[in-house]
Amino acid sequence: MVISRSEYYISPEEYLEGEKFSEIKHEYIDGQVYAMAGASDAHVTVSMNVSMLLRNHLRGSGCRVYMLDMKAQIDVINRYFYPDVMVTCDTRDKELEYFKSHPCLIIEVLSESTESYDRGKKFASYRHLESLQEYVLISPDRMNVECFRRNSDGHWVLYPYEKGEELYLASVDFRCAIAEIYEDVLLVDDNIY
């Protein structure tokens, strides 16, 4: 994921202002800025499919769905990320133009270069969001969705979904056949795993 790193501290305000004009998206971690790599056809298609499904489901509900270009702010640990898909139903986020601070659902589509980061340090960062109820990881090349859902004790519980199953996202009361997420995606043969 890391392509470039600044050796100097950059304030959140400087970062946000710079992102308005940057041709390259950057994530922000405690004063350091990291350029983001491009995405594959499958990655973009899966992101778009799940965004459209969620948008259609949430239309008129007051919740908003964002894809790829909206930042999630984790203020308590000084971080900004660009989730592949993010949903917020919090009215406070309507006032924020360039980032959202109270998402209930964040979805990341995995790639070889970011998978361990998305599962590890990024998930650890997202867990600081009190509003976050579900964190979803989607494989872009085989039907495999992992939903981490925060339970009433504050612990994160894994709910895995595979080919032929129905995905359920409790945070937004959403259901769909997992195959809908992979529409128009060339999948890898599951027998090789």
Side-chain angles (χ1 to χ4, degrees), residues 16-77:
L16 291 169
E17 191 60 30
E19 282 299 281
K20 290 179 188 177
F21 306 102
S22 178
E23 293 180 19
I24 301 169
K25 292 190 301 187
H26 301 84
E27 294 190 321
Y28 178 87
I29 301 174
D30 200 24
Q32 301 298 313
V33 176
Y34 300 87
M36 296 180 62
S40 68
D41 182 283
H43 187 118
V44 173
T45 303
V46 166
S47 297
M48 183 175 56
N49 288 346
V50 75
S51 294
M52 290 175 64
L53 290 165
L54 286 167
R55 172 70 179 122
N56 287 337
H57 171 71
L58 294 170
R59 183 171 274 120
S61 70
C63 296
R64 298 287 307 270
V65 179
Y66 298 95
M67 182 181 128
L68 301 172
D69 288 330
M70 181 57 71
K71 291 176 282 304
Q73 178 198 44
I74 311 166
D75 192 42
V76 296
I77 56 170

